[in-house]
Amino acid sequence: MRFVHGTPTRPAAAGFLLAPLLGGCAGPLSALDPAGPGAAAIALLWWGMLVGAALILLGVLLLLAHALRPRAAPRRVSERLMLGGAGVLFPLVTLTVLLVFALRTGEALLPHRSAGDRPLVVEARGQQWWWEFVYPDFAGAPLYTAGTLHIPAGRPVDVHLSSRDVIHGFWVPRLAGKLDAIPGHRTVLRLQADQAGTYAGACAEFCGLEHTRMTFTIVAHDPADFAERLTALAAPPPAAEPEVAAAFAAGCGACHSTDARTRSGAGPNLAGIGRRLPGDLPALLARHPVPRPGHRMPDHAVPDAAMLARIAAYLEELR
Amino acid sequence: MRRHPLLPHGAATAVGAFAIWASAFTLLYIVQALGCRFRGAETMLLHRATMYGVWIVHLVPLTLLLIALLQSSVPMRRVAILGTAAALGATAWTGLPLFFASACQ
Amino acid sequence: MTVLEPAPGLDGELDALWRTPHGRRGWLSAVNHTNLGRRFIVTACVFFGIGGLLAMLIRIQLATPANAFLNAGLYNQIFTLHGTVMMFLFAIPLFEGMAVYLLPKILGARDLAFPRLTAYGYWCYLFGGSLVVGSLAFGVAPDAGWFMYTPLSSRPYSPGINADIWLIGITFVEVSAVSAAVEIVVSVLKVRTGGMPLSRMPLLAWYLLVTAAMMLVGFPPLILGSILLEIERAFGWPFFDPTRGGDPLLWQHLFWLFGHPEVYIIFLPAAGAVSTMIPVFARRPILGYDWIVVSIVALAFLSFGLWVHHMFAVGIPHLALGFFSAASMLVAIPTAVQIFAWIGTLLAGRPVLRLPMLFVCGFFFIFVAGGLTGVMLAVVPFDWQAHDTHFVVAHLHYVLIGGFLFPMMGAAYYWLPHLTGRMPVYNLGTVSFWLLFVGFNLTFLPMHLTGLLGMPRRVYSYAPDLGWDWLNLLSSVASFVMAMGFALFLADILLQRRFGERAPADPWQAGTLEWAMPTPPPSYNFASQPDLSHPSPSEALASEIAAGRHFLGFARNGWRETLAVEAASGRPDQVLLLPGPTLLPLWMGLATALFFVPALFGLYPLTLLGAVLVIGLTLAWLWSMGSRDDPPTVPVGRGLSIVAAPADRRSPLHWGLAAALVADGSLFAALGFGQAFLHLVAPNVPADDPVPIGAAAILAAAGLAAAAGAAAGSRVSQARLGIAAAGSALAMAGMLLLPLPAPTEHAQAAAANALAAFVALHAGMASIAALYSLARLRAGYVSAVRDLALRNTALLAAYAAGTGILALALIHLLPLAVR
């Protein structure tokens, strides 16, 4: 097919001009750097609205500037044109187009249960100030992780959201919009990552003292890797040396499980933590008993520094 | 043009016209919520039909009011006419999502 | 030049009647609207300074990643208080101050309808506001965000006194907002000069009227929500607790049902100022007066259909979001009509660019930009990304600072010569404007991008590798430029007061009524109230007013006289006799404080004492009005004689009660909504069985019906009042005896109990009103032509009966219907 008007070069030129601008839009939490169909549809909506809004603003300001120019005699201005036309008709037409487009976009992003989709269902339970993720049906039994949610790339995922305490907002900007996790409610967010990769998530709804630090990660795997990763998590954790196991059980074990097959107590499940926080663990444990300010850690006997280091080394093995 | 025997002051008429919009808006929201609360496969059509009904039922009095106003005189007549036309437009516009959005998801 | 100074004799006589006495006692007993308006404005500006300092702390903290300047706990208190102060203690009270100061002056009146209510509102504002802000000094400021989402703000997750301070302090302040709203509505409708029909009222009066009407309907849902949440925190009634059948979303509905109209309540008065200034500086009348009036009415209604756009991300079905999305976009149209009416006026006139116009131009740029991002946020899918990010922070500052602060600063420069009698020191204002304009845009324009790059709102810190560093640093630096602009503005005003040149009469050649008086204004505003019954008043109107040639151009009988009119036509229908300085409002404010403050510490006996004092003072207050003689007909000048202070349905007191009941009805509707929501929408396990209709319910209904029936009609009779009092008391007993389940068990039971308590309270009020009217009747204050007390009792009894029957239906029938 031939393009008589030479259009093929235009997007390239536009891309060249926009590249620095769009480059500034990249970032681990950037809604303008979409990596999934939901975020992409919304980003497209944004760019369209930005251009439209900029033109309207410019038009209004030019008209204002024109109106403020000094002149000798008053002018006749048609009320019908100014108010009926610019004030009512123009926004009415523009907004109708926008509303229809917005509703259609929104409808496409909903977690509909249509035939072809086969979404993976996972759960995300918010609590002050971390997320617990549940894979309700992996090989017949649920799996639990904290802080990291594993999903397959290229397949829609329905995240069922709930909360154990206050309202939290589940948000992975590069994949989809956000949705609140509300105690007493169950909400469902559809998201999808087009490529394997790591996507940052944040809590969007103010949820108390450590709202800021309630971050999490979504790791999208190629389908085969995804099954492999969950299988690895479903395996029993490596055995610790007896003293380490005893020290862990005496303190940490009251709240934290190290086995993805069992639900953790009050604290996050540590399965896979060696992969999630490589290298950070000794420093984190050294700040024991409060590895992060604001996190609620019950009083318990704290092992000495040497034992903490050994526990950290053991946790490194939970991968 | 004669003073309309029933229609009140133009400002009150404009307020009344928007009260009809408010009624349409509120009832649409209520019917939507109740329909989802008591939803069954067999009532889905009824749910949507009721909402269309609520919408149209509110367009009728606003249209009649506008016609009556165009043919008679009240104090602040232009406010009454513009207000009623605006409320009619707003009511029509508020129903637009009925055509595009799923009711309970 | 026009002579505005009234004849010396007249000035002295009127001033002796109207002035506020000097000294501390005089200050405390002031009821004059000019004094109180100034006081509201100055207090609001002090709170603005505090809110601004808090904003500076926020920007310092966010200037660099991982900043250790503030810790999380303190940061949470600071941002919560910043939002709370700016919304509740600055924006609304500043508008109230502007209305209190200007309204009588633009309406050609000498004061507002209820001068003592104005003073009472001020005390509530001052006491409540000081309570909220003072908490920061003790480190117990509210810290759950200015919209106080439950369950975060509930007892288990906010165990301290912080949340109680917000709920109780803000409710205290809202008493002031509601009383101002009643005051403004009645004053605009009734207390105007002769010959100003609604159709020729200044646009600003329309704006203030509609804004106040919106407050009557919009604030009660928040007041109700705050009361319910405080009851939940204090007594464990689980309205919002999901573990006992409550729903956190009910709070969000109640809060935003207030919160969104609030935005327009803030914007409309500022738009009114723009609509006042633009024709003056365009040197021609405004384009499309009727269009603007319709736009204001449309905005008022539409703004109540937007609240769910703050809740697009809570999982509400798409169609419901669609309705609210549609209404949210639609609201752009009446706004656009006003924008183009203003531009059209400038286009058609011969504009002169004076200092206030500079701020109006800044307003155009910032507000239109903020409006456009508002339309974006009304788009549901886009909001799913932008919601709760710094994009929203940017947007709301664009609309609030652009839509409120810039026009209000323009208005300040416009009306300061009126307040101070002096002209601005021009260049400082210009420099201040540019600092503000540039500083503002550099602070908040980048913030849109910060938000889209993923920065959630209300985070106290951020990691360095997210691409937000330079944007935040830019915002922080620019915010200090903005702060310098404000400082310069303050300096300019102080300098103007001290060194400004004497303002000439009508310095902007506005030709509007508020300038047809000397500046600073005399205590009585107009030496005679202008007669506007001729469509184009004469050129010499101002000097005629000064010479006392219009209405009431004299002092007699020691009366503070001002005209009141038929609402629509503006024909004078009575002379109001307004009260003079009194400490009553202050005592009432202190009693109200005694009601609210001990509740913070659980000292409920003191709260009860406060309630008793408030009721007693209210009765004493009411008792001080009226006369044992039938109202005389008195000459008011221009050949007109009308009745003075009629105690019947024409009295502003009757209108005032009706307006207050509109607010009360909105509160009741919000409570009814809560009951319906908990039964129909909340995803809870329902409570046990519906409450059977028993003897108590029948007793309550019968008592209410008897009271309403007995009080209805205007025939004066002791027996009827006795029946009304007894019927209401019976109804109160019936409501209290309803066999309801314990309110702590389930949210539905809590809501039923709250409804019963509401009706019991109102039946009690009706009973007291009937007894009061009986006493008035016996004391000779009531006659066939002085039936105000009876009419008000009848209105109250009818209201109690109506809400009572609805409440009984909601308590007994709704649960049956749901089954």
Side-chain angles (χ1 to χ4, degrees):
Chain A
M1 179 169 238
R2 296 179 55 192
F3 290 88
V4 206
H5 304 294
T7 38
T9 57
R10 277 196 198 160
F16 179 72
L17 285 173
L18 284 175
L21 187 65
L22 294 176
C25 293
L29 282 162
S30 174
L32 304 180
D33 186 13
I42 298 174
L44 181 68
L45 201 54
W46 152 251
W47 291 115
M49 290 194 300
L50 177 65
V51 171
L55 290 176
I56 292 171
L57 180 61
L58 190 68
V60 171
L61 292 178
L62 285 177
L63 190 62
L64 177 68
H66 178 59
L68 288 174
R69 286 214 318 228
R71 67 189 75 98
R75 211 184 336 229
R76 271 201 61 79
V77 171
S78 154
E79 205 174 276
R80 186 168 293 204
L81 185 70
M82 204 64 191
L83 304 179
V88 176
L89 206 60
F90 171 71
L92 194 62
V93 171
T94 320
L95 291 175
T96 307
V97 173
L98 183 60
L99 179 66
V100 171
F101 193 67
L103 288 170
R104 295 181 70 103
T105 305
E107 198 59 28
L109 301 182
L110 294 177
H112 289 296
R113 284 278 178 181
S114 58
D117 276 352
R118 282 196 321 106
L120 175 78
V121 173
V122 294
E123 279 182 47
R125 294 187 180 137
Q127 50 223 294
Q128 288 178 328
W129 288 276
W130 54 284
W131 293 94
E132 177 182 66
F133 300 110
V134 188
Y135 312 81
D137 186 23
F138 181 73
L143 280 184
Y144 302 90
T145 59
T148 301
L149 171 64
H150 300 278
I151 62 167
R155 179 179 165 191
V157 178
D158 280 358
V159 186
H160 288 239
L161 295 162
S162 59
S163 166
R164 274 185 186 166
D165 41 42
V166 304
I167 301 174
H168 303 278
F170 183 94
W171 188 33
V172 189
R174 295 192 61 204
L175 300 185
K178 64 180 68 66
L179 195 62
D180 284 353
I182 303 164
H185 289 250
R186 172 162 295 246
T187 49
V188 184
L189 177 69
R190 165 79 47 99
L191 53 78
Q192 179 177 333
D194 289 334
Q195 307 286 330
T198 304
Y199 303 99
C203 175
E205 187 66 64
F206 178 63
C207 58
L209 194 64
E210 287 294 332
H211 162 59
T212 303
R213 290 173 187 268
M214 195 173 158
T215 56
F216 63 99
T217 308
I218 286 190
V219 180
H221 306 268
D222 289 325
D225 297 348
F226 174 67
E228 198 177 307
R229 181 75 196 107
L230 285 202
T231 311
L233 279 169
E241 298 164 50
E243 315 88 280
V244 174
F248 186 88
C252 326
C255 296
H256 298 279
S257 166
T258 53
D259 186 342
R261 295 169 304 173
T262 58
R263 181 154 207 179
S264 209
N269 196 317
L270 299 178
I273 195 169
R275 191 182 287 247
R276 191 151 65 84
L277 299 169
D280 290 351
L281 286 166
L284 265 180
L285 286 198
R287 285 206 300 273
H288 204 275
V290 184
R292 287 171 162 192
H295 280 223
R296 281 171 286 197
M297 183 82 79
D299 285 335
H300 60 79
V302 180
D304 60 22
M307 180 51 80
L308 281 178
R310 288 176 71 187
I311 294 178
Y314 165 65
L315 293 179
E316 290 273 356
E317 291 170 27
L318 302 176
R319 301 184 75 81
Chain B
M1 225 176 320
R2 286 186 316 129
R3 172 83 164 85
H4 197 285
L6 294 176
L7 290 176
H9 192 272
T13 310
V15 169
F18 268 98
I20 296 178
W21 168 83
S23 159
F25 187 84
T26 312
L27 284 176
L28 280 174
Y29 185 39
I30 290 176
V31 172
Q32 180 274 327
L34 293 188
C36 294
R37 169 72 162 68
F38 300 103
R39 173 172 54 153
E42 69 281 7
T43 57
M44 265 172 60
L45 256 179
L46 177 70
H47 185 199
R48 220 161 244 284
T50 313
M51 287 190 283
Y52 280 114
V54 165
W55 183 44
I56 290 164
V57 158
H58 283 87
L59 292 173
V60 175
L62 283 169
T63 313
L64 295 179
L65 179 60
L66 188 58
I67 293 170
L69 282 169
L70 287 171
Q71 291 167 349
S72 52
S73 134
V74 295
M76 296 189 83
R77 176 168 179 266
R78 242 162 68 92
V79 165
I81 291 174
L82 285 172
T84 307
L88 178 60
T91 309
W93 165 273
T94 300
L96 273 187
L98 279 172
F99 297 92
F100 300 99
S102 45
C104 299
Q105 189 166 41
Chain C
M1 200 179 111
T2 336
V3 182
L4 292 187
E5 298 300 332
L10 185 54
D11 175 60
E13 287 173 33
L14 284 172
D15 189 54
L17 282 178
W18 286 89
R19 72 159 169 257
T20 299
H22 292 291
R24 193 178 307 145
R25 195 186 160 87
W27 197 85
L28 294 174
S29 64
V31 293
N32 183 296
H33 79 103
T34 299
N35 299 68
L36 289 168
R38 280 201 305 247
R39 208 175 282 180
F40 262 107
I41 291 170
V42 169
T43 312
C45 290
V46 170
F47 281 121
F48 176 76
I50 295 171
L53 286 176
L54 296 173
M56 299 287 79
L57 296 178
I58 293 174
R59 279 323 316 173
I60 292 173
Q61 170 65 15
L62 295 181
T64 54
N67 194 345
F69 175 63
L70 297 173
N71 63 38
L74 197 52
Y75 183 85
N76 292 348
Q77 291 189 22
I78 286 173
F79 82 70
T80 300
L81 215 50
H82 167 69
T84 304
V85 166
M86 290 306 195
M87 284 290 186
F88 296 102
L89 305 183
F90 168 62
I92 295 292
L94 183 65
F95 138 69
E96 286 163 16
M98 165 187 167
V100 166
Y101 181 87
L102 278 179
L103 202 46
K105 300 181 174 78
I106 63 173
L107 296 175
R110 283 181 173 155
D111 208 320
L112 294 162
F114 311 116
R116 294 180 295 186
L117 185 65
T118 321
Y120 170 63
Y122 176 76
W123 296 121
C124 288
Y125 162 50
L126 183 68
F127 298 157
S130 305
L131 174 69
V132 172
V133 168
S135 63
L136 192 60
F138 299 93
V140 291
D143 58 358
W146 80 271
F147 33 84
M148 294 287 289
Y149 274 6
T150 56
L152 182 61
S153 58
S154 308
R155 184 64 77 193
Y157 305 102
S158 290
I161 199 176
N162 314 48
D164 303 303
I165 286 176
W166 193 96
L167 295 167
I168 289 174
I170 292 304
T171 304
F172 197 178
V173 174
E174 295 319 295
V175 171
S176 149
V178 172
S179 53
V182 170
E183 172 94 273
I184 293 167
V185 167
V186 177
S187 297
V188 175
L189 289 177
K190 286 301 288 179
V191 190
R192 311 199 295 266
T193 189
M196 182 194 279
L198 281 185
S199 56
R200 280 193 284 126
M201 219 163 54
L203 271 176
L204 181 57
W206 275 105
Y207 279 100
L208 296 177
L209 171 66
V210 172
T211 305
M214 288 172 70
M215 286 168 75
L216 287 182
V217 183
F219 277 63
L222 173 69
I223 296 174
L224 175 83
S226 303
I227 294 172
L228 297 188
L229 183 50
E230 183 55 30
I231 291 177
E232 174 177 310
R233 289 178 56 86
F235 306 114
W237 296 26
F239 299 101
F240 311 108
D241 176 2
T243 62
R244 285 180 289 163
D247 190 350
L249 288 190
L250 174 59
W251 168 264
Q252 298 192 12
H253 281 292
L254 291 176
F255 186 89
W256 292 117
L257 194 47
F258 144 82
H260 207 86
E262 152 99 343
V263 176
Y264 291 87
I265 289 169
I266 291 174
F267 165 65
L268 279 176
V274 173
S275 285
T276 308
M277 290 186 279
I278 284 201
V280 171
F281 293 109
R283 301 278 177 254
R284 60 149 286 151
I286 191 111
L287 185 78
Y289 178 98
D290 294 337
W291 290 76
I292 293 183
V293 171
V294 170
S295 297
I296 303 169
V297 172
L299 270 177
F301 274 91
L302 294 175
S303 70
F304 282 89
L306 316 181
W307 83 87
V308 169
H309 79 214
H310 298 268
M311 302 167 64
F312 279 171
V314 303
I316 291 173
H318 196 213
L319 180 57
L321 299 188
F323 293 142
F324 285 90
S325 173
S328 306
M329 288 186 191
L330 198 55
V331 84
I333 293 180
T335 314
V337 167
Q338 290 173 76
I339 298 269
F340 286 104
W342 296 325
I343 294 183
T345 307
L346 292 169
L347 208 52
R350 280 174 300 153
V352 284
L353 260 179
R354 305 290 294 271
L355 183 54
M357 274 305 284
L358 202 52
F359 283 90
V360 170
C361 291
F363 151 79
F364 270 109
F365 175 82
I366 297 172
F367 181 70
V368 172
L372 289 165
T373 54
V375 171
M376 294 179 187
L377 288 170
V379 168
V380 176
F382 179 69
D383 186 72
W384 286 336
Q385 281 287 24
H387 176 68
D388 270 337
T389 69
H390 271 68
F391 187 93
V392 172
V393 179
H395 159 73
L396 75 91
H397 284 87
Y398 261 76
V399 284
L400 290 175
I401 294 186
F404 181 72
L405 211 52
F406 270 79
M408 286 307 246
M409 293 178 81
Y413 276 116
Y414 180 77
W415 277 301
L416 265 174
H418 196 286
L419 276 132
T420 62
R422 293 172 188 277
M423 292 306 284
V425 186
Y426 181 75
N427 286 330
L428 269 188
T430 313
V431 178
S432 159
F433 168 80
W434 284 110
L435 284 175
L436 283 171
F437 185 76
V438 172
F440 172 83
N441 282 297
L442 288 180
T443 305
F444 291 103
L445 194 65
M447 218 177 263
H448 292 99
L449 185 57
T450 321
L452 290 175
L453 292 182
M455 184 161 169
R457 65 198 287 201
R458 302 173 165 189
V459 293
Y460 74 94
S461 187
Y462 53 92
D465 51 0
L466 299 168
W468 310 339
D469 303 11
W470 69 273
L471 289 166
N472 272 304
L473 186 61
L474 177 59
S475 289
S476 291
V477 171
S479 73
F480 277 82
V481 176
M482 211 174 137
M484 282 189 276
F486 284 121
L488 206 57
F489 175 74
L490 180 69
D492 191 18
I493 287 171
L494 296 178
L495 286 175
Q496 170 177 350
R497 260 198 88 191
R498 186 81 181 75
F499 301 112
E501 285 178 35
R502 290 289 309 168
D506 194 3
W508 315 111
Q509 291 94 52
T512 47
L513 277 183
E514 80 272 27
W515 293 107
M517 64 179 69
T519 55
S523 53
Y524 49 85
N525 283 350
F526 299 96
S528 59
Q529 288 185 260
D531 177 2
L532 304 176
S533 41
H534 306 289
S536 54
S538 71
E539 291 286 315
L541 180 68
S543 16
E544 288 174 28
I545 291 173
R549 273 189 271 145
H550 284 256
F551 293 122
L552 294 174
F554 43 76
R556 64 181 163 199
N557 305 347
W559 286 348
R560 288 188 167 202
E561 290 176 82
T562 192
L563 291 179
V565 297
E566 285 173 19
S569 68
R571 274 190 294 273
D573 70 349
Q574 61 190 297
V575 176
L576 290 185
L577 305 183
L578 296 178
T582 164
L583 289 175
L584 196 56
L586 176 60
W587 288 118
M588 187 78 163
L590 290 170
T592 314
L594 186 62
F595 174 76
F596 281 115
V597 178
L600 277 177
F601 307 100
L603 303 171
Y604 297 109
L606 283 178
T607 293
L608 209 61
L609 178 65
V612 170
L613 279 177
V614 167
I615 294 170
L617 283 169
T618 308
L619 293 178
W621 183 323
L622 291 171
W623 195 271
S624 70
M625 289 184 274
S627 159
R628 287 189 172 87
D629 303 313
D630 284 346
T633 297
V634 294
V636 293
R638 317 284 279 185
L640 190 67
S641 284
I642 47 177
V643 64
D648 59 18
R649 64 158 63 148
R650 288 170 293 180
S651 164
L653 270 179
H654 194 55
W655 292 64
L657 179 65
L661 289 182
V662 168
D664 199 64
S666 170
L667 189 123
F668 176 76
L671 183 55
F673 167 80
Q675 163 84 344
F677 185 88
L678 288 170
H679 277 88
L680 294 169
V681 183
N684 52 14
V685 180
D688 299 338
D689 298 322
V691 187
I693 301 174
I698 294 167
L699 183 72
L704 288 169
S714 55
R715 200 159 50 78
V716 178
S717 132
Q718 296 195 19
R720 292 167 64 137
L721 283 169
I723 295 171
S728 309
L730 267 187
M732 184 168 88
M735 291 312 290
L736 292 176
L737 291 175
L738 283 183
L740 297 174
T744 48
E745 274 172 19
H746 193 282
Q748 292 173 355
N753 276 282
L755 277 166
F758 179 95
V759 179
L761 180 69
H762 286 76
M765 278 161 56
S767 187
I768 292 176
L771 290 174
Y772 166 85
S773 298
L774 197 57
R776 290 286 277 189
L777 183 60
R778 290 175 162 227
Y781 283 102
V782 180
S783 75
V785 291
R786 282 177 280 127
D787 59 353
L788 178 63
L790 303 186
R791 283 184 180 277
N792 280 354
T793 305
L795 192 56
L796 199 54
Y799 174 80
T803 51
I805 301 301
L806 280 172
L808 286 171
L810 282 166
I811 292 170
H812 292 289
L813 303 183
L814 179 70
L816 282 178
V818 174
R819 299 211 133 203

